Amino acid sequence: MSTPNPAFVPPTPQTTRPDLQGMFGMAASTHWIATATAQSVLERGGNAFDAAVAGAFVLHVVEPHLNGPGGDLTAVFATAANPTPIVLAGQGPAPAGATPEHYRSEGLDLVPGSGALAAAVPGAVDAWLLLLRDHGTWELADVLAPAIGYARDGHPVAPAVVRTITAVQDLFQQHWPTSAARWLPGGTVPVPGDLVRNEALAAVLDGLVDAGDGAGSRTGRIDAARSEWAEGFVAEAIDRFVREPHRHASGTDHAGVIRASDLSAFRASYEPATTAEFRGCTIAKTGPWGQGPALLQTLRLLEPLDDALLDPSTELGAHTIVEAQKLALADREAFYGDGEVPIGVLLSDAYADERRALIGERASAELRPGTIGGVEHALPPIRTASGDGAPAGLGEPTVQVARDAQVPPAAPVEDRGEPFVAPDGETRGDTCHIDVVDRWGNIVSATPSGGWLQSSPTIPELGFCLGTRLQMTWLEPDTASTLRPGERPRTTLTPTLVLRDGEPIAALGSPGGDQQDQWQLLFLLRWIVGGYSPQQAIDAPALHTTSFPGSFWPRTWAPAGLVVEDRLGDDVIAGLEARGHVVTRGGDWSLGRLSCVTRDPATGVLGAAANPRGNQGYAAGR
């Protein structure tokens, strides 16, 4: 894969970061402290799962604007003993009280983008503990020690966290006093580099460790922590707190419906990965309760095309890729959810051939899901404008929070890999990511998200808040992703494992809401087909379509919308506009926050690469 393909635009010789190579272990994530933590675990004899869990709990602390213990995760992994890709499902379901009828009775026609009514059952912590129990080797106390240390003793707060707090400080001060107390020490926004502490969160993690005291085995200690999380003080604190009405993104006040019984009923689980073949590789994703199979559908559409049509850096290649993505994402709206999904048909040769014929010379401005016999779903409402005057259809691009005072706060401006956060807590482009591979061949790709500091009021005795994943459901009946108590909302979290000849060769992923797989697709095309190195593929100019209903409140779309990095070039961008794409220029380095680790099964050589956008992601290894 390292031989450049002459059908592709040559990669830039100088990369922003080196392509790391070594034999011992590699970690890459969206924050350098999490990467360093994971690598330190490998250095002290831990395996990839010990390292990933330790790094992930650190991400809760150092990227609180992108994830938290009240959120969720999905991961895809393989072990040294069994290369079969497995999905770790840490996406909690809708609470028992989360019915469309309840939301309608509260005067809502959408699940709000912030506030406890948008909370699914938190799934991240239990999922990490499950992975540690079954595939790690370390004790829970040792794995949690770095996160507890950074929470109790403090860590230098990143500029991105400060920008997020700045965006929502009025909301905190006027409506969410517990969040103001947590994130506005002394009534002011922290300055980048200030030491930020979270004693309450440290105490929660200490409580999980303490729950295992007296258990006779490592497994028993971890299981005791899982039970304490689901049935003890955490669940009780959540139950008490959400009963008090508070401000939601709708501009109205509501109480949450999640209860302690909802937490006690949930446990994370494993599932077989959904896979598809592409150019000699097997791509492994979650099932269609996540958006991951849309990437597989896109690859199936692109598989037989000439190499020159798969280069995102050319007008024809970018157009072809984007039009294929639109077809797959339209199917996501029509078919994907936590019920029965005809994924076998959607990934079949016959269906791909039928859908591929729809790719034309001009940009489509229609939502065109396919038709499958015997499968009937109502399509959700298609909104091209939100009621608050925000530009329609920007989906979930990572965008700038701090902006010129003359620009309305609700008007996103594409920027350097950080989430757009409106003053009401609406978030676009949230999430973080971590990949780890060890010298034994264990490998994991994980995308934790949700429960970010701006999603709902902080629960004081816990030091964190709940997630907002239910905003990805519809209140309208009979859609594939209608809100249904006990079912998982269709998540955007979509890590990737790549295999060749049955052996894992890469783990990768990206934050970015609906854009996660769009940006990963560019990486896969450039790496597998174009012969780019991983770092070259991450550095290369990115783009994504917004011509489909967004997963995040207010669920709008931009027909024929296309967001590009300016580095794609004026000629290519002009050519795309001539084909009918409605192009938004995002700046030179604005789209995507990919990271990856790699492994060559034949030699044992490991690799890693990380995203330079936002100056926060990092890879490490040796």
Side-chain angles (χ1 to χ4, degrees), residues 109-473:
D109 61 358
L110 282 171
V111 177
S114 67
L117 272 181
V121 177
V125 168
D126 189 65
W128 285 125
L129 297 184
L130 175 65
L131 185 70
L132 179 67
R133 185 196 73 180
D134 294 343
H135 298 290
T137 63
W138 275 26
E139 289 285 347
L140 179 61
D142 297 326
V143 168
L144 293 185
I148 292 171
Y150 284 119
R152 178 163 286 129
D153 302 330
H155 70 281
V157 65
V161 181
V162 173
R163 290 198 293 271
T164 299
I165 296 171
T166 300
V168 290
Q169 61 177 316
D170 290 344
L171 171 68
F172 286 4
Q173 290 169 333
Q174 296 170 20
H175 298 289
W176 294 0
T178 58
S179 294
R182 166 88 288 280
W183 297 108
L184 299 171
T188 61
V189 178
V191 174
D194 281 356
L195 284 183
V196 172
R197 296 175 174 85
N198 193 336
E199 287 278 358
L201 176 56
V204 168
L205 299 179
D206 279 337
L208 298 182
V209 174
D210 292 344
D213 286 350
S217 66
R218 174 183 172 276
T219 296
R221 287 185 282 278
I222 296 174
D223 280 340
R226 296 179 70 197
S227 296
E228 180 62 34
W229 172 268
E231 302 169 16
F233 69 98
V234 172
E236 293 165 1
I238 290 171
D239 191 318
R240 287 193 303 269
F241 185 79
V242 301
R243 293 173 186 265
E244 186 69 26
H246 54 272
R247 184 57 49 92
H248 284 56
S250 56
T252 49
D253 291 352
H254 308 275
V257 296
I258 191 170
R259 298 291 180 260
S261 56
D262 294 308
L263 275 82
S264 67
F266 172 77
R267 293 296 187 276
S269 60
Y270 303 117
E271 300 178 4
T274 302
T275 63
E277 302 302 309
F278 177 76
R279 299 297 183 93
C281 293
T282 301
I283 314 300
K285 306 291 287 183
T286 71
W289 52 268
Q291 69 169 333
L295 172 63
L296 304 182
Q297 284 192 247
T298 307
L299 291 171
R300 300 289 292 121
L301 293 171
L302 298 176
E303 163 85 23
L305 301 181
D306 291 342
D307 290 359
L309 296 176
L310 306 186
D311 184 358
S313 295
T314 67
E315 174 196 331
L316 185 56
H319 169 78
T320 303
I321 293 162
V322 165
E323 292 305 297
Q325 287 176 325
K326 290 179 188 178
L327 295 172
L329 290 165
D331 280 346
R332 185 192 77 168
E333 293 309 306
F335 300 112
Y336 287 22
D338 199 22
E340 292 295 323
V341 179
I343 194 65
V345 175
L346 292 170
L347 295 176
S348 68
D349 290 344
Y351 187 79
D353 292 345
E354 175 187 329
R355 299 285 280 160
R356 190 181 304 109
L358 296 176
I359 299 175
E361 297 297 317
R362 300 278 302 170
S364 170
E366 301 176 72
L367 189 69
R368 299 183 292 175
T371 301
I372 297 178
V375 179
E376 298 290 339
H377 290 305
L379 275 177
I382 308 301
R383 294 174 168 87
T384 54
S386 61
D388 60 5
L394 285 179
E396 276 50 66
T398 49
V399 296
Q400 180 179 356
V401 172
R403 41 175 72 82
D404 188 278
Q406 302 302 311
V407 179
V413 178
E414 298 289 341
D415 195 26
R416 300 174 59 87
E418 295 306 329
F420 164 66
V421 182
D424 62 4
E426 176 199 345
T427 303
R428 304 182 180 188
D430 50 272
T431 308
C432 49
H433 187 79
I434 186 167
D435 305 300
V436 185
V437 63
D438 64 31
R439 62 189 184 275
W440 301 289
N442 300 300
I443 188 168
V444 57
S445 170
T447 308
S449 186
W452 43 83
L453 65 88
Q454 65 277 14
S455 63
S456 63
T458 298
I459 302 167
E461 56 265 63
L462 302 182
F464 62 83
C465 57
L466 298 173
T468 59
R469 192 63 61 183
L470 293 189
Q471 67 181 294
M472 298 178 183
T473 63

Side-chain angles (χ1 to χ4, degrees), residues 522-547:
L522 306 180
F523 174 95
L524 292 171
L525 293 175
R526 285 170 166 141
W527 181 54
I528 295 173
V529 184
Y532 287 34
S533 74
Q535 192 63 51
Q536 288 171 335
I538 288 173
D539 286 355
L543 70 157
H544 62 259
T545 177
T546 54
S547 189

Side-chain angles (χ1 to χ4, degrees), residues 3-55:
T3 302
N5 185 338
F8 273 54
V9 172
T12 303
Q14 184 67 40
T15 57
T16 60
R17 309 274 175 83
D19 277 289
L20 303 184
Q21 288 190 309
M23 302 294 291
F24 180 80
M26 294 283 170
S29 82
T30 47
H31 196 290
W32 65 87
I33 293 180
T35 297
T37 297
Q39 187 64 24
S40 76
V41 172
L42 295 178
E43 296 289 347
R44 289 177 287 158
N47 69 14
F49 305 111
D50 300 314
V53 176

